């Protein structure tokens, strides 16, 4: 077989393995991801799968890296607007839209961990995780001039935060105080909370309009930050 065709077939099979693994995560939870289960779904032998991924952890690491990178690309680089309100709105909607289009990926990185999985040193997707972290902190930083009046009196110090988080955020936003970093995490809670409830199906019995609920929550968030809320959400 010519090398070009062999490489193309290998890439196609690798992509199918990853799609199958994500599908198993969605249908059976994180503990359903095993190389044997993937081989069974694909009609392959377990030994054949090992030719693509030496261990289950190698596959999970690649999946997490792919998913986290896709999220960073889709949501945290989604806005070029100058208005703080527009940035929050654009990135919030991009985050929700990505999650709704990729529920298995959302569950993989924000749901229960894969049992027994051991990430490599530095994490499965350090660059993507840093980009997401910086993107969230950027929302607080761009709004801090207006939000400080409402959020600046929080009793926060740098020792309230994980050193790894500080290593990412403080060089990027040296003027953002501890209360500002706390605000970033609170904004993240607003954006993540309703999306997680929606992805896991907990809103289905309570509302027929999860989009309307999300928009209302986002409008209230923008108002609480004392930034221009005139942009339609």
């Amino acid at each position: 077989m010519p090398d070009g065709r062999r490489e193309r077939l290998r890439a196609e099979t690798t992509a199918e393995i990853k799609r199958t693994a994500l599908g198993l995560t969605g249908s059976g939870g994180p503990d359903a991801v095993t190389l044997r289960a993937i081989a069974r779904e694909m009609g392959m032998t377990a030994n054949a799968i090992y030719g693509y991924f030496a261990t289950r952890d190698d596959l999970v690491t690649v999946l997490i890296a792919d998913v986290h990178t896709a999220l960073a690309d889709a949501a945290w680089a989604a806005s070029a607007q100058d208005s703080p309100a527009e940035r929050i709105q654009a990135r919030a909607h991009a985050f929700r839209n990505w999650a709704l289009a990729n529920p298995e990926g959302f569950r993989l990185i924000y749901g229960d961990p894969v049992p027994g999985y051991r990430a490599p040193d530095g994490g499965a997707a350090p660059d993507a995780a840093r980009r997401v972290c910086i993107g969230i902190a950027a929302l607080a930083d761009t709004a801090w001039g207006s939000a400080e009046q409402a959020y600046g009196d929080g009793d926060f110090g740098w020792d309230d935060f994980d050193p790894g988080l500080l290593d990412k955020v403080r060089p990027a936003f040296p003027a953002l105080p501890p209360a500002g970093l706390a605000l970033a995490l609170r904004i993240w809670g607003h954006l993540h909370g309703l999306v997680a409830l929606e992805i896991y199906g907990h809103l289905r019995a309570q509302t027929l309009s999860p989009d309307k609920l999300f928009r209302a929550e986002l409008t209230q968030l923008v108002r609480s930050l004392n930034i221009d809320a005139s942009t339609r959400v």
Side-chain angles (χ1 to χ4, degrees):
M1 183 183 298
D3 288 344
R5 186 178 178 209
R6 184 181 293 110
E7 292 174 1
R8 184 173 67 254
L9 290 175
R10 182 175 181 83
E12 291 172 353
T13 302
T14 299
E16 184 179 357
I17 290 170
K18 292 191 289 186
R19 287 195 303 270
T20 302
L22 280 177
L24 288 171
T25 300
S27 62
D31 55 351
V33 180
T34 69
L35 296 186
R36 288 187 178 276
I38 294 168
R40 186 169 56 250
E41 288 288 320
M42 294 179 60
M44 298 174 65
T45 66
N47 286 339
I49 295 288
Y50 286 112
Y52 293 86
F53 294 96
T55 68
R56 189 279 313 260
D57 280 5
D58 289 340
L59 171 58
V60 172
T61 295
V62 170
L63 286 177
I64 292 174
D66 285 355
V67 169
H68 223 146
T69 299
L71 170 60
D73 290 343
W76 302 111
S79 175
Q81 292 97 330
D82 293 329
S83 161
E86 290 174 333
R87 290 186 185 183
I88 291 173
Q89 291 161 9
R91 293 188 175 184
H93 287 301
F95 171 64
R96 178 174 178 265
N97 291 340
W98 176 88
L100 292 177
N102 301 275
E104 295 87 0
F106 181 93
R107 293 187 183 101
L108 179 66
I109 59 176
Y110 292 124
D112 293 332
V114 177
Y117 169 67
R118 297 183 64 179
D121 292 343
D127 180 65
R130 182 192 62 80
R131 289 169 58 199
V132 171
C133 179
I134 294 300
I136 295 167
L139 300 183
D141 183 69
T142 196
W144 186 246
S146 300
E148 183 176 8
Q149 181 178 356
Y151 291 93
D153 60 352
D155 184 22
F156 292 100
W158 293 124
D159 57 353
D160 290 315
F161 303 98
D162 176 74
L165 175 64
L166 298 180
D167 289 344
K168 296 179 182 72
V169 173
R170 293 189 72 181
F173 307 104
L176 192 67
L181 181 53
L183 174 60
L185 296 179
R186 294 164 79 171
I187 292 173
W188 175 230
H190 279 275
L191 304 187
H192 183 274
L194 282 178
V195 171
L197 290 174
E198 188 173 3
I199 292 298
Y200 281 94
H202 300 305
L203 289 182
R204 293 173 187 166
Q206 285 75 34
T207 177
L208 300 178
S209 303
D211 180 69
K212 185 176 181 179
L213 191 66
F214 185 76
R215 288 173 181 272
E217 179 70 4
L218 186 54
T219 297
Q220 186 59 40
L221 170 62
V222 168
R223 288 173 179 165
S224 76
L225 297 173
N226 296 319
I227 55 181
D228 180 17
S230 62
T231 300
R232 182 179 179 182
V233 299

